Amino acid sequence: SPPKDSAQPQTSPVRNKYQNARKVLNSAECQKLPGREEQLEELKAFFREHLENKKSGSLYVSGQPGTGKTACLSLLLRSPEFNNRIQKVYINCTSIASIGGVYKKLCAELNLKPQGRTERDHLMAITHHLKTSTRMLLIVLDEIDQLCSSKQSVLYTIFEWPSLPDARIILVGIANSLDLTERTLLRLNARCELKPKHMHFPPYTKQQIVDIFKSRLEEAEVLDIFPPVTLQLLAAKVSAVSGDVRRALDIGRRVVEIAEQQKKAGEREVKLQNLNNIVGEVESTQGQQEEVLKPVQVTQVAAVLNKVYGASQNLQEDIEESFPLQQKIMLCTLMLMLRNEKNKDITMGRLHEVYRRVCNKRNIHPLDQAEFAGTVDLVQTRGILRIIKKKEPRLSKVQLQWDEDEVNGALSDKQLIASILDDTACLAK
Amino acid sequence: TRLAEGTPRRSIQLSSIVEKRVFNEDDIINTPKRTKARKSISIKSADHDGDDDYVPELSTPKKTPQKTPSKGKRSTTKSSTSDVSGTPKTPSQKLKMIRSGEIKPSLEKRGILAGSEKGKTDLQIARERLHVSVVPQSLPCREKEFDNIYTFLEGKIQDQCGGCMYVSGVPGTGKTATVTGVIRTLQEKVTDDELPPFDFLEINGMRLTEPRQAYVHIYRQLTGKTVSWEHAHSLLEKRFTTPAPRRVTTVLLVDELDILCNRRQDVVYNLLDWPTKAAARLVVITIANTMDLPERLLMGKVTSRLGLTRLTFQPYTHKQLQEIVTGRLNGSTAFKGDAVQLVARKVAAVSGDARRALDICRRATEIADAAASKPENSSKDSMQCVNMMHVQQALAEMIASAKVQAIKNCSRLEQIFLQAVAAEVTRTGVEETSFMGVYTQIETIAAFMGASTPTPGRALRICSKLGSERLLICEHSRNDIFQKILLNVSMDDIHYALKVNNTN
């Protein structure tokens, strides 16, 4: 069969540095975590202390998405230091079927044999195991906010395990929100031994993102592809907006992809030129074989950053001529109404009435109400509007989500906008 | 939740035993699974491995062709299994075979063969080419987007790492067609040995009864077996988190992503979290309509995983729509050039939806057909062709507003009622009117016109009839005179319709 044969030459094609850089900038798990030394030390100290004292403890780790919480803990779970002294369980709470199902999953991970099949049996088996086991147990619950319910019975049960007599358990919960334990688990505050130790992962700073890029690129020996200036620019922008390293790596990868595309396009042009003038064939083919590495430019990085972070700006260039006319008229009518009327909640019916008058005045065939609703819906997908649904389509409300300047820029049809915005006569009944 | 699956518990356990045995030896199952999955994508009804004892073609000659053409999945499978292997007859055994993928669903074939190509007129051929389901080999006017997706996927497959991409755009702008076109091109490259092989899976949010059924569909495309979603999820989790040395890249296309979002967003989270695992080698391409869906609907951690590789399909301009239609017609003379242009311009002004342009063109061919079949036309012009008039008519049909016609065709009293509502709205200045006020207006108008005033009971009946026609929006009539009435048509429409009517 074909798949067997082609399984071997997977690595055979010659990979250039762009591809290496692209691969090494992936957002999968990794071994080294530069920029998280402090947190790692703190976590290690916490584990060590509890291991030596044979004491239970709970920890809550919080932080924005993409700040390396899971990466740190999975690194520690794999580290040889704790490997034989502790029994380790990692559960991602999004992967359980229901909130109560977490016990079942724990039983499966711990190889426990519960008496029955109900949730309570599983819980009993776990508590029995906690009381009797001799080894320390480390439970990591990722995305623990998925376990929140109205009564929080599951979360309370889990966080009460460390205070069980004879239990030797270290419990680590990971989530995004800073105050999950304070906000949802108020009762834990009443008893100090129950309250989990809180640890926050701050968003990455500019220097940390630069370090991450450097360490990753050095791993594949392609550091020269990113000049320091471009790295500084990228890191400054990402750390200022979110400090999410997934985004930074994404943008880095995107820059490399675009640089490669542009270089390919350039090579293609050179080839075309060669075909055109056969005279210069010899020397230019030689020039090609050298395989010069073109480091990425500041302009390329800036272009990608603008595209990613300036949502409405890059819309302008895309839209230009492709914004349908009826949608343009609809938006202009909406702006006209918002500007001139006191009553700012605009229903679909009112908007349609004015829109019809505007259309008739311009000798354009107006759309029917049913069709018009569809048109407004299409504009909503661009994020310019929001429709608040009501019982009747005619009564649903239309809200402008951008400010007027942005819309003006996006429509890029100054004449039409000006003529409609002047047309206050259409508003009158 | 288990009961909601509608599966007997015993069968789940039976299949789980089979699954466990197969899944422990990860390397061995990889190869047969892959071939099976690819075949089921390319040709649905193709027979697969040697252990299969069911070939759908066997059953068809046994069936009597005179029977009513129903979707005879159940009956064909029954007859075939009984005459091929003989043993499995009970419904539960059959169900088990269906769930394990040993029996493939088949449709009954037609007794009469389809008509040949020769007898068709120019218009008919054009109509067939213009059908929305006929996807051309290369999509015109989407070259840039094609290149974009192609380089992304090719890079991911060559690098053997995972990733996500988000593709958005309004309906009918060629998103799914472009992505599947890219996949087809890549698969051709795989057969030429220019690219490492990859699996292709596809789910559509709208085809799932529940977001979690996505696991079942993905697993079925991987192995051909149907299991409950909990089981499918744990098996998929095992597959994507444990490293296997000879795993190939899997490309997963998720259409209609916004349907998969529920409150917990666990399905979307899992689908986007697996690519971040190094062992998974999963590339997810998600398609949705809304441009800012990640920011608007998804949670922060899901958006972070979705990444920033995004692509937006803009609506087609009128030039592009024209190119698409002429590309489909492929040099046929059935359409006048300016007729195509009119369609393109009209559609591009509203939505830029290619499906709509094609539908209008098809409708125009039908109208031209009907016009040509009339005796007075066919005699003088033998050459059949769609001209501006036909297109105009088709456009009027498809972008028409039937409301004025509906008002014109109302009974006299209903027209008076509508007039009264309009008058009441002008009087009060508020859009919402009560039946009481409208009734007073009816009395006035009726007296003015010399017509007899209907009783309130009859007026209520008229009101509910207009409400069911959606010319009005009204409450339930048990509120009688206090019920609220809203106009669902514009007042200009009413005046226009009635004035034109009066002059007649």
Side-chain angles (χ1 to χ4, degrees):
Chain A
S1 59
K4 262 186 198 167
D5 306 331
S6 45
Q8 282 102 25
Q10 274 180 6
T11 48
S12 58
V14 184
R15 301 175 60 85
N16 58 25
K17 283 198 166 185
Y18 288 113
Q19 285 166 335
N20 285 336
R22 195 175 64 195
K23 189 173 181 184
V24 88
L25 288 177
N26 64 355
S27 44
E29 278 180 12
C30 54
Q31 301 301 317
K32 275 187 274 176
L33 286 171
R36 284 290 171 239
E37 292 87 0
E38 266 179 53
Q39 279 80 8
L40 273 174
E41 273 312 309
E42 202 179 331
L43 281 172
K44 270 184 196 163
F46 179 82
F47 290 160
R48 256 185 231 130
E49 182 201 327
H50 284 271
L51 266 177
E52 277 156 20
N53 299 342
K54 294 268 177 193
K55 202 178 79 181
S56 298
S58 56
L59 177 71
Y60 172 65
V61 178
S62 71
Q64 296 287 307
T67 46
K69 306 177 290 294
T70 310
C72 275
L73 279 161
S74 54
L75 190 70
L76 283 183
L77 286 180
R78 272 180 274 129
S79 73
E81 184 186 346
F82 303 111
N83 228 351
N84 38 18
R85 299 166 65 188
I86 200 163
Q87 190 180 8
K88 291 167 298 190
V89 175
Y90 173 85
I91 291 179
N92 192 326
C93 294
T94 40
S95 66
I96 53 174
S98 64
I99 294 171
V102 71
Y103 302 131
K104 193 179 168 191
K105 180 118 185 182
L106 257 175
C107 279
E109 296 278 338
L110 293 170
N111 291 323
L112 300 181
K113 296 278 181 290
Q115 298 282 325
R117 305 173 62 105
T118 61
E119 199 176 291
R120 175 197 279 239
D121 293 328
H122 289 288
L123 180 56
M124 297 252 287
I126 293 170
T127 38
H128 180 74
H129 173 80
L130 288 178
K131 280 177 185 165
T132 53
S133 86
T134 48
R135 282 171 86 193
M136 270 311 253
L137 177 63
L138 170 62
I139 300 180
V140 179
L141 295 170
D142 205 347
E143 311 290 356
I144 203 171
D145 49 342
Q146 292 278 340
L147 294 181
C148 287
S149 58
S150 58
K151 276 174 148 180
Q152 315 283 12
S153 57
V154 174
L155 271 182
Y156 276 124
T157 317
I158 289 174
F159 275 103
E160 276 161 13
W161 284 339
S163 69
L164 283 178
D166 303 333
R168 296 204 187 107
I169 173 176
I170 303 175
L171 186 73
V172 183
I174 307 177
N176 291 138
S177 64
L178 187 63
D179 56 345
L180 182 91
T181 47
E182 283 87 14
R183 189 159 39 81
T184 59
L185 302 173
L186 285 168
R187 278 194 273 146
L188 294 183
N189 289 339
R191 286 167 62 193
C192 281
E193 73 270 22
L194 281 180
K195 202 178 168 192
K197 179 180 153 61
H198 183 222
M199 192 173 154
H200 186 65
F201 275 59
Y204 283 107
T205 61
K206 178 183 164 191
Q207 191 52 45
Q208 282 169 335
I209 292 178
V210 171
D211 290 344
I212 290 170
F213 267 86
K214 274 188 181 156
S215 88
R216 288 210 174 203
L217 292 173
E218 264 167 11
E219 208 174 295
E221 296 164 348
V222 284
L223 190 58
D224 44 347
I225 207 166
F226 270 100
V229 191
T230 60
L231 273 185
Q232 294 280 340
L233 174 67
L234 200 161
K237 186 80 184 180
V238 175
S239 65
V241 176
S242 60
D244 178 346
V245 78
R246 279 199 204 104
R247 297 214 143 186
L249 291 173
D250 248 6
I251 294 171
R253 213 163 45 221
R254 197 94 194 105
V255 169
V256 176
E257 274 170 19
I258 285 171
E260 193 188 357
Q261 264 178 30
Q262 284 178 356
K263 192 179 166 230
K264 263 188 194 164
E267 276 172 9
R268 222 175 286 155
E269 261 174 37
V270 169
K271 271 184 195 165
L272 272 180
Q273 279 174 4
N274 290 349
L275 287 176
N276 288 344
N277 45 357
I278 316 150
V279 192
E281 193 183 338
V282 188
E283 60 256 304
S284 54
T285 43
Q286 277 174 349
Q288 247 177 25
Q289 247 114 50
E290 279 172 26
E291 186 69 45
V292 278
L293 179 84
K294 247 169 95 183
V296 298
Q297 316 278 312
V298 176
T299 50
Q300 285 169 336
V301 178
V304 174
L305 283 173
N306 271 339
K307 205 163 181 195
V308 168
Y309 284 117
S312 59
Q313 283 165 15
N314 71 58
L315 216 59
Q316 278 174 30
E317 58 191 53
D318 286 342
I319 286 176
E320 263 181 79
E321 82 270 31
S322 71
F323 216 111
L325 178 70
Q326 302 279 7
Q327 298 182 7
K328 274 189 197 173
I329 296 178
M330 192 273 294
L331 275 177
C332 289
T333 312
L334 183 62
M335 285 205 295
L336 171 76
M337 289 176 78
L338 281 175
R339 191 181 274 194
N340 291 310
E341 291 196 352
K342 279 180 204 146
N343 184 1
K344 300 290 181 202
D345 58 311
I346 293 169
T347 59
M348 193 81 90
R350 275 179 64 206
L351 181 63
H352 185 231
E353 298 266 302
V354 181
Y355 156 83
R356 276 168 53 120
R357 281 188 219 116
V358 170
C359 276
N360 283 333
K361 213 162 189 184
R362 273 158 196 79
N363 273 331
I364 297 169
H365 189 77
L367 294 175
D368 180 37
Q369 190 183 308
E371 193 92 8
F372 184 72
T375 311
V376 180
D377 208 38
L378 289 185
V379 179
Q380 189 191 18
T381 63
R382 291 183 192 259
I384 305 177
L385 294 178
R386 227 183 68 189
I387 303 173
I388 300 168
K389 282 267 184 333
K390 289 282 156 65
K391 211 165 74 186
E392 298 291 336
R394 194 179 167 81
L395 300 180
S396 48
K397 279 179 188 152
V398 183
Q399 281 182 342
L400 198 65
Q401 297 285 300
W402 290 7
D403 59 23
E404 278 189 27
D405 293 337
E406 275 179 312
V407 180
N408 282 339
L411 290 180
S412 69
D413 192 344
K414 287 217 172 84
Q415 276 186 318
L416 183 78
I417 298 170
S419 79
I420 292 181
L421 286 186
D422 282 342
D423 214 346
T424 44
C426 290
L427 288 170
K429 294 206 169 160
Chain B
T1 50
R2 188 175 290 238
L3 284 178
E5 300 297 319
T7 52
R9 177 170 274 174
R10 193 178 49 176
S11 74
I12 292 172
Q13 284 173 336
L14 273 173
S15 58
S16 76
I17 292 163
V18 176
E19 283 312 311
K20 263 178 202 155
R21 186 178 59 74
V22 173
F23 233 91
N24 283 342
E25 346 177 289
D26 212 346
D27 302 3
I28 300 165
I29 48 158
N30 247 356
T31 33
K33 197 195 310 165
R34 202 182 309 147
T35 52
K36 209 183 277 182
R38 185 158 314 140
K39 264 181 192 166
S40 67
I41 291 160
S42 53
I43 320 152
K44 284 283 182 221
S45 61
D47 52 334
H48 41 106
D49 283 342
D51 62 324
D52 186 13
D53 54 1
Y54 172 67
V55 184
E57 279 77 11
L58 271 180
S59 68
T60 35
K62 285 215 77 162
K63 298 226 66 154
T64 46
Q66 291 91 338
K67 271 191 177 175
T68 49
S70 63
K71 287 183 181 173
K73 173 184 163 188
R74 201 152 271 249
S75 57
T76 44
T77 49
K78 189 179 195 174
S79 69
S80 68
T81 47
S82 59
D83 68 31
V84 174
S85 56
T87 37
K89 267 176 195 165
T90 61
S92 64
Q93 277 172 323
K94 206 168 60 194
L95 194 68
K96 224 166 84 187
M97 286 179 83
I98 291 172
R99 290 191 158 265
S100 63
E102 289 168 44
I103 315 176
K104 288 278 162 93
S106 66
L107 280 177
E108 199 174 333
K109 296 258 165 45
R110 258 179 205 222
I112 309 153
L113 288 172
S116 64
E117 281 286 315
K118 280 175 193 168
K120 282 175 184 161
T121 62
D122 232 13
L123 274 179
Q124 273 172 326
I125 293 169
R127 186 150 65 228
E128 269 170 27
R129 280 194 195 140
L130 285 171
H131 198 278
V132 184
S133 66
V134 185
V135 179
Q137 280 298 309
S138 68
L139 285 179
C141 314
R142 286 291 179 231
E143 289 83 11
K144 220 174 80 190
E145 286 82 2
F146 186 93
D147 275 349
N148 206 324
I149 300 173
Y150 184 85
T151 42
F152 173 79
L153 274 179
E154 192 191 26
K156 289 292 174 205
I157 292 169
Q158 278 174 351
D159 293 354
Q160 302 179 0
C161 59
C164 306
M165 185 173 198
Y166 178 69
V167 178
S168 67
V170 292
T173 47
K175 302 181 291 294
T176 313
T178 308
V179 174
T180 45
V182 170
I183 300 282
R184 224 181 300 129
T185 318
L186 288 171
Q187 277 168 344
E188 276 165 23
K189 276 194 105 177
V190 169
T191 49
D192 297 346
D193 265 353
E194 290 172 33
L195 204 70
F198 66 96
D199 281 346
F200 174 58
L201 315 174
E202 185 180 18
I203 56 170
N204 187 328
M206 288 292 245
R207 296 213 187 104
L208 310 173
T209 50
E210 210 224 352
R212 283 157 168 183
Q213 288 292 317
Y215 303 133
V216 179
H217 282 249
I218 294 170
Y219 188 69
R220 184 160 59 216
Q221 287 183 43
L222 278 171
T223 61
K225 296 190 178 70
T226 309
V227 294
S228 74
W229 72 262
E230 288 109 333
H231 193 200
H233 172 242
S234 58
L235 289 171
L236 284 174
E237 183 108 348
K238 208 181 276 173
R239 177 191 159 93
F240 288 130
T241 48
T242 51
R246 278 160 65 197
R247 166 145 321 147
V248 292
T249 310
T250 313
V251 179
L252 171 64
L253 171 62
V254 183
D255 216 339
E256 314 287 356
L257 178 74
D258 41 347
I259 310 291
L260 288 178
C261 300
N262 47 5
R263 203 175 52 79
R264 267 182 84 195
Q265 304 196 354
D266 51 341
V267 178
V268 194
Y269 177 88
N270 278 324
L271 288 183
L272 297 177
D273 193 37
W274 286 330
T276 61
K277 307 276 192 294
R281 287 201 190 163
L282 180 69
V283 187
V284 181
I285 299 186
T286 52
I287 299 182
N289 287 341
T290 320
M291 247 171 86
D292 52 351
L293 180 87
E295 283 76 26
R296 188 189 290 194
L297 201 63
L298 299 177
M299 291 192 225
K301 55 191 175 190
V302 182
T303 308
S304 168
R305 283 176 173 76
L306 185 57
L308 295 163
T309 317
R310 298 189 189 169
L311 180 65
T312 310
F313 280 65
Q314 295 299 331
Y316 288 113
T317 62
H318 69 90
K319 274 187 196 137
Q320 291 172 329
L321 283 175
Q322 208 173 331
E323 200 176 312
I324 289 168
V325 174
T326 45
R328 293 260 183 148
L329 288 172
N330 197 10
S332 135
T333 52
F335 261 87
K336 286 244 165 72
D338 46 358
V340 176
Q341 193 174 357
L342 180 66
V343 173
R345 281 190 184 269
K346 279 280 184 186
V347 172
V350 178
S351 57
D353 186 341
R355 284 190 204 121
R356 188 151 193 190
L358 292 173
D359 279 343
I360 291 174
C361 287
R362 265 172 67 83
R363 180 68 198 133
T365 59
E366 281 167 14
I367 291 169
D369 240 0
S373 65
K374 279 183 195 162
E376 68 265 30
N377 288 6
S378 59
S379 56
K380 70 180 176 192
D381 189 14
S382 60
M383 172 70 177
Q384 283 185 1
C385 185
V386 181
N387 60 25
M388 288 288 262
M389 298 305 292
H390 301 138
V391 168
Q392 283 263 341
Q393 199 184 330
L395 281 169
E397 274 176 20
M398 293 192 93
I399 317 185
S401 72
K403 282 202 170 140
V404 175
Q405 279 302 320
I407 297 170
K408 271 188 191 173
N409 289 330
C410 280
S411 76
R412 197 83 197 89
L413 275 179
E414 285 165 2
Q415 286 177 349
I416 291 177
F417 196 100
L418 285 174
Q419 263 179 307
V421 177
E424 183 69 7
V425 170
T426 355
R427 190 181 72 84
T428 55
V430 187
E431 275 188 65
E432 202 177 63
T433 57
S434 75
F435 183 80
M436 202 166 17
V438 173
Y439 190 72
T440 345
Q441 292 285 347
I442 291 174
E443 282 174 327
T444 321
I445 293 172
F448 185 71
M449 289 179 151
S452 63
T453 322
T455 58
R458 169 161 294 190
L460 276 173
R461 215 171 123 192
I462 291 169
C463 177
S464 66
K465 178 163 181 283
L466 289 172
S468 64
E469 277 176 345
R470 307 296 293 161
L471 290 174
L472 295 179
I473 300 168
C474 53
E475 288 178 331
H476 196 276
S477 57
R478 67 166 159 251
N479 295 340
D480 5 282
I481 57 169
F482 299 111
Q483 73 165 301
K484 306 244 168 24
I485 297 172
L486 269 163
L487 269 185
N488 200 21
V489 290
S490 82
M491 283 206 279
D492 304 344
D493 270 343
I494 295 174
H495 293 314
Y496 177 75
L498 297 183
K499 228 169 255 166
V500 173
N501 207 20
N502 286 345
T503 51
N504 285 353

